[in-house]
C-alpha cells in the first residue's frame, strides 16, 4: 500500500507565497489538495475515488517532488492535504491547517537572567498575540497543550517596550509568537509559519556563578562580595556591581551607577573569590546588584543572586 506523508511543513514568504515541503514517501506520487474543511480521515486512511474527488482539484502531482509553492493561499482557514497515490490506491497524509493571518516578524530574544526580553515587529492591523514556548520543540499552535503561554496586547507591548518571560527556567526555550485577528466573528491565531516569528534561548546548559553580599558590623556601607562556582570556570565574564538609589533592584547594568568592576577571573570549586567594596560615598538608601558587563555572558553562565535583603543598603 502507499506510504502516507507525515511531515508536511508550511513556510510563508514575504510575498505571501506559501511553500509546502515534505519527505517523499518511497514509491507513488504525492498529490496536494487544499480544502476549506478539516479532513475527517486519520493519517494512513485508504481513500476511495469519490473521497479523493471530494477534496477538489489537485494543486500539484509530482512523483518525486519534495516541495511545492502555493502562489495564492486561500483567505480565512484552509487545510492542505497530501495524498499518496500508487496505481488505483490512495492514502491520506498528515493534513495541516493554514490560517491566513500575517505573522509577526523580526522576533528577537535577549536573556537578562531574571527574565527573557522579547521584541518583534507587529503586523499592521494586529492588536494582540499569544507567545508560546516549549523546551523540546517549537510550539505547533497558539493552543499547543505542551507549551507555556502568555497573551500580550499591542498597548501592553508598547508600554513595556516588549514582552518579558519572568523567572525562566534554566533550560531550552523554543519560542513562537502567534498573531490574533477576528475571522467570521471569532478570534483566530496565525499558523506561525512566517520565518521571523520564532526564536530560541538557553539551548545549552549554563554553568552557575553565585555571588553573595555581606555588610560589615561597624562600616555598614563596606560590602564583602563573594563569587563562587561548583564547577571550574576558566574565564568568568567581566562583571559590574551596580547601585541604584531607593530600594528597587537595578534591572540591568545601565539601570544605576557602576560602583565596582570585577575583571574576568578563574573560579575553582570550593574556592570562593572575595573582594571588599567601599560604598561609604554613596549616600541614601540604595540597592546593589551584579551583572555581566557583556550580555553575551548569560548565554554561557547563569548568575545566581543572593537574597534581596543582602542587596539593600540603608
Amino acid at each position: 500500500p502507499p506510504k502516507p506523508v507525515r511531515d508536511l511543513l508550511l513556510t510563508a514568504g514575504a510575498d505571501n507565497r506559501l511553500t509546502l515541503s515534505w519527505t517523499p514517501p518511497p514509491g507513488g506520487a504525492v498529490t496536494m489538495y487544499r480544502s476549506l474543511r478539516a479532513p475527517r480521515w486519520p493519517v494512513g486512511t485508504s481513500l476511495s475515488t469519490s473521497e479523493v474527488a471530494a477534496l477538489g482539484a489537485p494543486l500539484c502531482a509530482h512523483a518525486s517532488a519534495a516541495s511545492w509553492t502555493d502562489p495564492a493561499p486561500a483567505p480565512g482557514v484552509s487545510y492542505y492535504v497530501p495524498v499518496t497515490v500508487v496505481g488505483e490506491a490512495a492514502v491520506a497524509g498528515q493534513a495541516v491547517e493554514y490560517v491566513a493571518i500575517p505573522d509577526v516578524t523580526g522576533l528577537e530574544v535577549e536573556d537578562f537572567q531574571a527574565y527573557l526580553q522579547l521584541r518583534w515587529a507587529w503586523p499592521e492591523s494586529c492588536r494582540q498575540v499569544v507567545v508560546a514556548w516549549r523546551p523540546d520543540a517549537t510550539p505547533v499552535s497558539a493552543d499547543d497543550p505542551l507549551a507555556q503561554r502568555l497573551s500580550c496586547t499591542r498597548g501592553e507591548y508598547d508600554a513595556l517596550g516588549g514582552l518579558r518571560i519572568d523567572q525562566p527556567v534554566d533550560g531550552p526555550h523554543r519560542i513562537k509568537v502567534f498573531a490574533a485577528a477576528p475571522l467570521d466573528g471569532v478570534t483566530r491565531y496565525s499558523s506561525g509559519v512566517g520565518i521571523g516569528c520564532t526564536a530560541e534561548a538557553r539551548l545549552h546548559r549554563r554553568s552557575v556563578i553565585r555571588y553573595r553580599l555581606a555588610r560589615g558590623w561597624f562600616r555598614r556601607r563596606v560590602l564583602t562580595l563573594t563569587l563562587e562556582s561548583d564547577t571550574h570556570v576558566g574565564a568568568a565574564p567581566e562583571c559590574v556591581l551596580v547601585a541604584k538609589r531607593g530600594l528597587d533592584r537595578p534591572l540591568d547594568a545601565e539601570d544605576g551607577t557602576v560602583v565596582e568592576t570585577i575583571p574576568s577571573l578563574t573560579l575553582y570549586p570550593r574556592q570562593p573569590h572575595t573582594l571588599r567594596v567601599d560604598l561609604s560615598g554613596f549616600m541614601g538608601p540604595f540597592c546593589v546588584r551584579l551583572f555581566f558587563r557583556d550580555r553575551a555572558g548569560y548565554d554561557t553562565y547563569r548568575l545566581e543572586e543572593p537574597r534581596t535583603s543582602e542587596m539593600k543598603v540603608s
Side-chain angles (χ1 to χ4, degrees):
K3 300 295 184 182
V5 171
R6 299 180 180 274
D7 59 352
L8 180 60
L9 178 68
L10 310 185
T11 305
D15 54 0
N16 293 325
R17 295 161 66 91
L18 194 62
T19 298
L20 290 67
S21 57
W22 61 90
T23 301
V30 175
T31 302
M32 193 66 61
Y33 295 86
R34 184 175 64 202
S35 173
L36 297 182
R37 289 190 293 184
R40 65 181 186 276
W41 319 291
V43 177
T45 301
S46 295
L47 304 179
S48 66
T49 302
S50 61
E51 288 174 321
V52 173
L55 290 171
L59 298 175
C60 69
H62 300 291
S64 59
S67 66
W68 179 78
T69 298
D70 189 346
V77 181
S78 57
Y79 301 85
Y80 288 91
V81 187
V83 176
T84 307
V85 180
V86 176
E88 297 296 321
V91 169
Q94 178 66 58
V96 176
E97 180 187 67
Y98 175 66
V99 183
I101 295 174
D103 282 305
V104 307
T105 57
L107 175 62
E108 295 181 347
V109 56
E110 290 185 275
D111 191 343
F112 289 95
Q113 184 198 356
Y115 61 90
L116 300 178
Q117 177 81 36
L118 277 62
R119 295 186 178 89
W120 60 83
W122 291 71
E124 184 176 352
S125 60
C126 183
R127 292 293 176 266
Q128 183 176 354
V129 301
V130 161
V131 177
W133 65 95
R134 289 173 51 172
D136 57 332
T138 303
V140 297
S141 65
D143 57 357
D144 188 332
L146 299 179
Q148 293 182 267
R149 295 180 295 275
L150 284 174
S151 180
C152 177
T153 66
R154 183 64 185 269
E156 292 169 339
Y157 180 96
D158 290 342
L160 296 175
L163 178 135
R164 288 184 180 181
I165 299 176
D166 289 316
Q167 302 301 322
V169 298
D170 189 25
H173 287 65
R174 293 174 170 88
I175 306 165
K176 182 172 285 190
V177 179
F178 299 90
L183 288 178
D184 298 326
V186 178
T187 299
R188 295 296 302 263
Y189 292 92
S190 66
S191 296
V193 296
I195 296 175
C197 67
T198 60
E200 296 178 328
R202 300 190 176 183
L203 296 187
H204 307 289
R205 187 171 183 84
R206 300 173 298 166
S207 298
V208 177
I209 298 175
R210 292 186 300 275
Y211 75 95
R212 302 193 307 271
L213 294 164
R215 284 173 287 178
W217 285 103
F218 300 106
R219 302 183 65 188
R220 301 293 288 171
R221 291 176 182 266
V222 175
L223 305 182
T224 298
L225 171 63
T226 302
L227 292 165
E228 59 185 344
S229 177
D230 293 333
T231 60
H232 175 252
V233 178
E238 182 179 272
C239 297
V240 290
L241 187 66
V242 176
K244 180 180 179 180
R245 298 189 188 282
L247 298 179
D248 292 330
R249 296 185 304 169
L251 298 178
D252 53 47
E254 288 75 41
D255 188 25
T257 302
V258 174
V259 293
E260 187 73 24
T261 298
I262 299 91
S264 176
L265 50 83
T266 299
L267 294 174
Y268 298 95
R270 297 179 297 279
Q271 295 184 28
H273 176 85
T274 61
L275 68 155
R276 285 160 53 89
V277 182
D278 189 346
L279 297 177
S280 56
F282 206 84
M283 306 305 294
F286 56 90
C287 195
V288 294
R289 194 176 185 184
L290 194 68
F291 298 94
F292 295 137
R293 182 181 289 278
D294 188 340
R295 292 173 181 170
Y298 293 105
D299 295 335
T300 307
Y301 300 98
R302 180 164 65 89
L303 199 56
E304 189 174 285
E305 299 186 328
R307 297 187 304 271
T308 302
S309 59
E310 293 183 28
M311 301 180 183
K312 295 180 179 180
V313 181
S314 57

